[in-house]
Amino acid sequence: MTRSGPFVSDVPTAEATAAWRAACAAAGCPERTGTEHVPVAGAVGRVLAEPVWAVRSSPAFDSAAMDGIAVRAAETVGAADTTPVLLADFAVVDTGDPMPVGYDAVVMREHVHHTADGRAELRAAVPPYEHVRSIGEDISATELLLPAGHRMRPVDVAAAAAAGAVAPAVHRRPHVVVIPTGDEIRPVGTEPGPGEILDTNSIMLVAQAREAGCTAAATEIVPDDPERITAALRAAAAGADLVVLIAGSSAGRDDHTAGVVAGAGTLAVHGVAVRPGHPVVLGVVEGGTPVLGAPGYPVSAALTFEIFALPLLAALEGAAPRERPSTTARLARKLASVIGSDDWVRVRLGRVGGEVVATPLPRGAGVLTSLVRADGLLVVPAGVEGHHAGERVRVELLRGLAEIARTIVAIGSHDLVLDMAASALRSADPLLTLASSNVGSLGGLVALRDGLCHLAGSHLLDPATGAYTLPYVDRLLGDLDVAVVRLVHRDQGLIVAPGNPLGLTGIDDLVRPGLRYVNRQRGAGTRALLDHELGARGVDPSAVPGYAREEHTHLAVAAAVAAGRADAGMGILAAARAFGLDFVPVAQEPYDLVVRADALDDPLLAPLWALLDDPAFRGGIEALGGYSCAETGRRVR
Amino acid sequence: MTRSGPFVSDVPTAEATAAWRAACAAAGCPERTGTEHVPVAGAVGRVLAEPVWAVRSSPAFDSAAMDGIAVRAAETVGAADTTPVLLADFAVVDTGDPMPVGYDAVVMREHVHHTADGRAELRAAVPPYEHVRSIGEDISATELLLPAGHRMRPVDVAAAAAAGAVAPAVHRRPHVVVIPTGDEIRPVGTEPGPGEILDTNSIMLVAQAREAGCTAAATEIVPDDPERITAALRAAAAGADLVVLIAGSSAGRDDHTAGVVAGAGTLAVHGVAVRPGHPVVLGVVEGGTPVLGAPGYPVSAALTFEIFALPLLAALEGAAPRERPSTTARLARKLASVIGSDDWVRVRLGRVGGEVVATPLPRGAGVLTSLVRADGLLVVPAGVEGHHAGERVRVELLRGLAEIARTIVAIGSHDLVLDMAASALRSADPLLTLASSNVGSLGGLVALRDGLCHLAGSHLLDPATGAYTLPYVDRLLGDLDVAVVRLVHRDQGLIVAPGNPLGLTGIDDLVRPGLRYVNRQRGAGTRALLDHELGARGVDPSAVPGYAREEHTHLAVAAAVAAGRADAGMGILAAARAFGLDFVPVAQEPYDLVVRADALDDPLLAPLWALLDDPAFRGGIEALGGYSCAETGRRVR
């Protein structure tokens, strides 16, 4: 078995795809899956291997297109209001009835007066074939109904059946086998121990394959043992059109994929110039089964499958690959991108001020929620260094534009109450989304100023006045007509380990030598509160050990304390309680929603304002503890 | 049982939907289907009944984000090229490994030099948490991961599993039962007798329901008997969230749906202001099951399901209904629409001259191929009278724009060879479509002049000169730089019944009294040929019985003769042969493709030009009989 080198290369995507396809062709991989005949009703979603030529006409006979009477058109000539024609020779027909032999037109029921002696009185002539559906009006026998390579939709199977197709020839669905690898990987449904990771990638990749029209299954999890991975790969390849090996695709000590693929067949590519996804393995197993070695980071796994597997699977079925609609959006902030790699950036989209705005989501390959929360994908090609803030960019859509237009975009500080509002709004109206990006209070106000969001959640303390948010609104948004609506009052304090083992009593204890504090990011209101409290005591921030360590949400701070990675961090009671931690109150602060004044009358936001007045919603918040809804919904400016 | 009146009403769509929903609510129909818990891996495509809140963080521990060594950041301070730091205390880690206790940063393998005595030499300091993936970087416990009402995608189930969801609560899939009715309806898979129709609507509607995420089944076909339809409806309603009764929704003698629904519950609406689809029945069965009475015309059935059933089914699952992307297109020709009804017009789309052009397809409710061939839907609202040619209109997309951009739009005369070319091109490249609209040779040249198509198929005879196509090109396209490429020579003649029972020998016999001729439409080259032949003989067209009877394709003419509805029609041998008919040759004519000159170098059309030179393709055409490929592919101008 050859062993790959210690570093992965950076082959451009198109080149990598071509090299993979060439290796597959050389190894005798079939270009298309085989052909099978399926009953026409079961052909929905399948790709035609042969065209459907009509063998029957539809309709197969001339028929009445209206309810009325069948007549001979020639016998109606001259009929008019003043010169009605009386017909004894006619036949009553309903829509769809075959035309009785000898008749060539239909007079609508509404235009016929039946006389007492059983004749039909007409007051207008009709041309031949009036209201007659001709044979073959829909489909003429022998014409091409559907070309090979067409994926059958409901209307297609109906039309094919009408044209006489009984069991059209379709390509066999490609079969994908996913092999999860890794000593630390445990099946979904089990409780992972310390250092263990759930095999969420397998269920995702299997679902992606099925969504693409394939059959798919995952094998048992294989440990980091090249022999066992090789055996699993060979076994899977025997019955698959594509094998996906998860994880181990890089070049670390436990990364065996490249070596295993080289040993079991041909290693075509190890490393592609795409981020996330870079350490990808593309190869082919002896006997002719393509193999994709996907990185273990979930975003890399998902995108790698999309970039490399989906086009291959579509080609195997002889079909056009899925195509996503796209739109133009204004980029909310500067986006840097490394030259030399295609950069797949997940973005949130919202319609703000009449324009679609794209806000980049976290770009880490491990941040699966960036894909979950994404409304679109922005691909920055290898040759482009990035984009300026405000630039118009092309975005592939993951959600429909109408849904995006019904999304309230919140940028600013994070609070659980926003999550609860998002959930309540969606439950009441499946079309309504409240999407929040957590960038801190200051970032939210700037985003509001720049027209990038509908509302900014803020709890910014002004150290000079001791007032919250309003001084910043004056300073930053002075020339805008804005309204400020109180969301909630909440307790802020020190989140500490259960039992408060260090016996922290307040801000004064944060300068203790050896203490590991965890801070919030610059611009966060909670950080401003700490700075205010430190300043009031004349304490230099650098005296707090860990001041430079930043987390972006209350929950991340609590998680750090819960994990024993930090001794204390400032945050809200709800976050402490969620992790079973202790809490040392420091202050009660108002958390406000800042909006442009016209947002108060914007139909999009109306359900949010109504929710703030809903006693059930308020009750739910206060039940969390650490919150007061006494002023919820009050306009404070 | 109440019997509905003889005429159907014209309730506006939104009003009809509201009335239906109100009747459903009054009858106790549940607003949502029930809730069930499914294993997270099986939740793809399901709609959350409850939000997914994270109960675990992901990652659940700090881990190395790179292959390298774990260090204490503080011990690297001062490291530089000139002042390397030597560490004895470090731990080798691979990407994904939990951070060993006590270490707070990772130095990438590439930046570490291991000394002979086992120490690690660093030439740069690292800050704390460098290359460390923090606990909760992706998901923090207790945060909202997914709101209720969200339809789960592959990334969602993976994220939900990572967040600790084991069996999320989802809405039960709605169950749809389709009841086909009609004495003349026969199951798909059987051979229909004279006057019988295959039940293609059931397989289409069941497939539409499944595509919408529902379970669905069709019952046996029920005859036109109100008692039996009522029994079938009650039985189906007992186990369904929606029943669809097909056909009988109008007000003819055999139209029982409205009466049956009124008798079995509440008839909310009979007749909606939408075309096609007008005679629709909306009601609810006692006990609380909505029922949709869909018209039997296939386009009406499909659109009625889309307009009324899909939003109801989405609401039952608590989800947003499917949303189609849309685009702006230039309308190829004037589109009249009746005031007072929403008009759902099927259109073909093509990118011609840098703009998307929409050509309306046949509008009959029975022309299912208009939906099969449609690239988009253009809804003309009830209040709009129609659109001018060239107007920019909004079109809902049924195919992706990239696919549409790879569509060769052919407008003009029909020939089987174009169908064969379409099929061959698609087989070679699943992304390439050749879409032809048959409007006759003259219509094609006009469309080419107006920039509505890439090529016009023409075999127009100039009676004055006896020359084909070129005189018309001069006359109509004089100011355009066009090229004319020969597709084929083909025989034209009289298509007659097997054995030529009337003993027709040529054009001279067409004036026989009692003969039933079937003509082609105005502008068709075949009609011009007839006119030329008649003119050469000094025969007035009105002397030909049936001259006014028009069909739009060769095959439709042959079908009319095959059905015994006509005695003769002019057409090509291939069409006669397809129906087993006889053929009396009249002339051999060139069939040409007219294109703008720059189309010869257009990459979109290149595969077509290559195909015309392919001996296998030519052989297949000549094997049909009645064609000569001697000049196929030759540029005749």
Side-chain angles (χ1 to χ4, degrees), chain B residues 4 30 44 101 157 171 182 194 200 205 221 231 233 260 277 286 340 347 381 390 498 515 528 535 561 600 636:
Chain B
S4 72
V44 180
V101 175
V157 294
H171 286 290
T200 55
L205 293 171
I221 296 160
L233 175 59
V260 161
E286 265 168 24
V347 297
L515 182 100
V561 174
L600 296 177
V636 296

Side-chain angles (χ1 to χ4, degrees), chain A residues 310-385:
Chain A
L310 287 187
L312 177 82
L313 295 168
L316 278 169
E317 256 191 310
R322 177 179 59 179
E323 178 193 332
R324 289 207 189 94
S326 65
T327 193
T328 300
R330 192 157 64 91
L331 198 58
R333 55 172 189 259
K334 184 175 190 284
L335 183 69
S337 176
V338 178
I339 284 274
S341 271
D342 297 339
D343 207 345
W344 288 61
V345 183
R346 287 78 74 201
V347 297
R348 277 221 105 126
L349 298 174
R351 178 169 285 276
V352 184
E355 196 174 9
V356 177
V357 172
T359 309
L361 284 156
R363 291 161 77 178
V367 186
L368 187 55
T369 46
S370 68
L371 258 183
V372 169
R373 301 207 162 119
D375 302 311
L377 289 172
L378 162 57
V379 182
V380 186
V384 174
E385 235 182 314

Side-chain angles (χ1 to χ4, degrees), chain B residues 142-187:
Chain B
T142 78
E143 76 178 344
L144 176 70
L145 183 66
L146 297 163
H150 182 76
R151 200 179 285 280
M152 301 281 273
R153 304 158 303 170
V155 291
D156 300 323
V157 294
V166 175
V170 297
H171 286 290
R172 182 174 54 71
R173 295 178 186 275
H175 184 61
V176 178
V177 176
V178 175
I179 306 176
T181 73
D183 293 339
E184 76 284 18
I185 306 299
R186 293 292 170 270

Side-chain angles (χ1 to χ4, degrees), chain A residues 502 512 514-518 545-546 564-569:
Chain A
L502 300 184
R512 275 202 209 159
L515 182 98
R516 296 167 305 158
Y517 184 78
V518 57
R565 185 158 49 79
D567 299 314

Side-chain angles (χ1 to χ4, degrees), chain B residues 73-162:
Chain B
E75 296 180 357
T76 70
V77 172
D81 273 337
T82 50
T83 56
V85 165
L86 286 162
L87 296 180
D89 184 12
F90 62 88
V92 177
V93 288
D94 291 321
T95 305
D97 285 351
M99 283 296 286
V101 175
Y103 301 95
D104 63 359
V106 170
V107 180
M108 286 168 69
R109 194 164 49 142
E110 296 89 316
H111 300 151
V112 179
H113 173 68
H114 291 278
T115 60
D117 61 357
R119 291 188 295 172
E121 182 187 283
L122 307 184
R123 293 180 171 266
V126 290
Y129 304 98
E130 173 91 341
H131 298 318
V132 174
R133 242 188 118 205
S134 304
I135 176 175
E137 177 196 272
D138 192 0
I139 302 164
S140 292
T142 78
E143 76 178 344
L144 176 70
L145 183 66
L146 297 163
H150 182 76
R151 200 179 285 280
M152 301 281 273
R153 304 158 303 170
V155 291
D156 300 323
V157 294

